[in-house]
Amino acid sequence: VVKILWGGRGLAKPLFGVEAKLQAAVLGRIVGYTMDEAVADINEAKASNDVIIYTYALSPFSTEAVNLLESTGYAFTKVQLGLEWFTLGGKGSQKRVALGDMVPNGGTSLPKIFIGGAPLTGASGYSALAEAVEEGTLEGLLQAANAKRA
């Protein structure tokens, strides 16, 4: 069910992108946190973690993605940007946009998953993770990234 709901989000992608950039510009300016700082922070986190997932606490897509990662038995780092997109402060808003710029389809939705510093396909979120599990490619990606068992 979550996978079907996730697939329908692509229709609203252009609106989410505009909203995300506006939110980041306004809130980032208020707290004095720039896009360059967000990119640097994310790149540092990706370099320091074999597997990292950026989430929202209230997102069922984030919850399901975390559950899938937990089921692999591999260690990963979870970074919660906020409760949901509309509750993000300046740093979370800037990171949300920066993460969107780092994935193949540019989507600003969460979760965002990086394995070995590289994003999964598409929006690099739940659907990409579920696809990797279904196709049996996730284990190979985790091993190639030298991910450690939990």
Side-chain angles (χ1 to χ4, degrees):
V1 172
V2 173
K3 187 174 179 185
I4 293 168
L5 290 172
W6 186 262
R9 293 183 66 158
L11 300 173
K13 180 184 160 200
L15 294 175
F16 286 138
V18 169
E19 173 277 321
K21 288 178 181 174
L22 179 61
Q23 180 183 27
V26 171
L27 296 179
R29 176 165 275 206
I30 290 171
V31 300
Y33 188 73
T34 68
M35 185 61 61
D36 289 342
E37 290 172 304
V39 169
D41 287 347
I42 293 166
N43 284 336
E44 181 179 328
K46 290 190 312 183
S48 302
N49 296 281
D50 297 326
V51 182
I52 188 165
I53 180 171
Y54 287 85
T55 69
Y56 296 135
L58 300 179
S59 165
F61 306 111
S62 292
T63 301
E64 287 301 315
V66 167
N67 290 341
L68 279 175
L69 285 174
E70 286 175 343
S71 74
T72 68
Y74 283 88
F76 64 92
T77 299
K78 180 173 90 170
V79 178
Q80 186 176 299
L81 292 187
L83 293 177
E84 193 44 91
W85 67 269
F86 52 87
T87 65
L88 296 178
K91 287 186 177 185
S93 297
Q94 290 283 37
K95 286 182 181 180
R96 175 183 174 208
V97 172
L99 287 163
D101 290 343
M102 294 178 180
V103 299
N105 80 349
T108 58
S109 58
L110 294 184
K112 291 285 184 264
I113 304 155
F114 298 87
I115 299 175
L120 294 177
T121 62
S124 303
Y126 172 76
S127 60
L129 182 62
E131 185 177 301
V133 169
E134 287 175 10
E135 293 176 353
T137 59
L138 182 59
E139 180 83 17
L141 291 170
L142 293 166
Q143 288 176 353
N146 295 313
K148 294 156 191 65
R149 291 281 181 178

